[in-house]
Every structure is written in C-alpha cells, then in structure tokens.
C-alpha cells in the first residue's frame, strides 16, 4: 500500500477493504444521472459511496444551482461531477495521481463538461492556497485519511472560500475532523468507516 501524500487520490482509508480496488460508482442525480465512473485499482482510492452522496446533495439542494465548486482531493471526481450534474456552475477537480487526473479529464470530455469542469493535477494543499480569493462557494474536502491533511487543507483553502461558503468534510469515523472557528455544523452522518459533515461559514 502506498503512503498517501498531500494532494493524494482523495478517497483513501486506513483500511483496504471492499470499498477499494476496481469497480464503479455512479452519478446519482441531475443531467448526468446514471453515468458510471470507473474506480481503478489504485491503492487507497475510496470513492464516497452513492448513498452518502445522495444524502449530501439533498442537503445542498437549495444552494447548489449556480455554485462554484471545488473537489480538492478528487479521486474519481464523484463529488465534483455530481455537483455539476445537479446544477453547479463550475467545478475545479484537484488530483495528484497522473492516471486519475487523466481519467477525470477524459470523463469531463465524454460528458461534454470540459467548459465547466477544470481538472488540475498537483498537490491539493498547495493548489488550494493558490486559488483566487472568494472564488469557491462549495468545497469538498476528503483527503487521504492516513496523511492527516485536514488542518493543512482548511488553512490553505480559507481565503478562497466565499463569505457564505459551504464546506463538506469526510474524515475518520473514530476521529472526526472539524474546520474550527468560523464554521457552523449544518448536517452530519456517520458510516462504519467515515464521519461526513456539512458546515456553513458562520457570520
């Protein structure tokens, strides 16, 4: 198993189990509903399950239309692509792994979404810090669990988030990550492996 690094493939867990390895997930709603996304055999790759995404996007339904979205540790791109499918104006997908980034670019082209989906390959924390101020309305932060990158990601991302931004955080079930002062918990759920929480910028 490879050691995750900053900007890794974005859906990793300390446990390699039935959620890892080759397979598929699907976009569950919107104009691209039913589109299958390949899950290649990349160590540590753990896409957010369809059921969790369905719940998350029900929470985001009122604010998603026209939103500028960031999927910071994109992996398969399931979160960012789902957001655009359901009405987000644009999505930036950041992925360090060369093969995964190439697959994201190919998927965006296949869906005729290249004009609204930007795939950026590189270190997620560094790239978050380089985003224009106030340019993101909704951010998805689900880094490799073993790398413990939540605090770094939150700090780097803060200037890029709009004053009324929303932040989705996926972290270890036994040790949930929290973005700290300035964020108000909106909704949360727990699976056997992950704690999933949606926050709204307070004040």
């Amino acid at each position: 198993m490879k050691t995750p690094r900053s900007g890794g493939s974005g859906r990793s867990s300390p446990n390699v189990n039935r959620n890892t390895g080759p397979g598929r997930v699907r976009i569950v709603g919107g104009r691209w509903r039913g589109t299958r996304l390949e899950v290649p055999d990349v160590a540590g790759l753990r896409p957010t399950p369809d059921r969790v995404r369905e719940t998350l996007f029900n929470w985001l339904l009122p604010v998603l239309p026209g939103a500028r979205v960031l999927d910071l540790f994109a992996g398969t791109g399931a979160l960012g692509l789902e957001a655009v499918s359901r009405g987000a104006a644009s999505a930036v997908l950041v992925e360090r792994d060369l093969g995964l980034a190439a697959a994201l670019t190919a998927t965006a082209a296949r869906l005729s979404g290249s004009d609204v989906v930007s795939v950026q390959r590189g270190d997620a924390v560094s790239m978050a810090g380089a985003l224009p101020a106030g340019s993101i309305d909704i951010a998805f932060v689900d880094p490799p669990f073993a790398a413990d990158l939540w605090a770094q990601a939150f700090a780097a991302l803060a200037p890029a988030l709009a004053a009324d931004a929303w932040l989705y955080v996926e972290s270890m079930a036994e040790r949930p990550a929290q973005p700290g002062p300035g964020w108000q918990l909106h909704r949360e759920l727990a699976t056997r492996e992950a704690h999933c929480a949606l926050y709204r910028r307070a004040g």
Side-chain angles (χ1 to χ4, degrees), residues 17-114:
N17 56 26
R18 60 186 175 84
N19 287 327
T20 62
R24 290 180 177 180
V25 293
R26 65 185 177 92
I27 296 176
V28 295
R31 59 175 165 152
W32 297 332
R33 180 179 180 180
T35 298
R36 300 285 180 173
L37 304 175
E38 298 294 331
V39 183
D41 191 7
V42 174
L45 183 63
R46 183 188 57 81
T48 300
D50 294 353
R51 179 179 59 84
V52 173
R53 278 185 289 111
E54 179 68 40
T55 299
L56 169 63
F57 284 100
N58 284 339
W59 294 344
L60 287 171
L61 185 63
V63 297
L64 199 56
R68 301 162 298 171
V69 170
L70 173 69
D71 191 349
L72 189 55
F73 299 84
T76 63
L79 290 170
L81 293 171
E82 181 89 39
V84 173
S85 178
R86 291 174 178 256
S90 62
V92 176
L93 278 53
V94 178
E95 174 53 49
R96 175 180 55 82
D97 183 271
L98 177 60
L100 291 172
L104 290 172
T105 300
T107 298
R110 174 168 57 92
L111 295 173
S112 299
S114 298

Side-chain angles (χ1 to χ4, degrees), residues 3 5-6 21 23 27 38 70 75 103 105 124 129-130 146 148 167 180 185 188 203:
T3 301
R5 296 175 298 178
S6 177
I27 296 176
E38 298 294 331
L70 173 69
T105 300
D148 196 17
L167 178 65
L185 179 64
E188 64 183 336

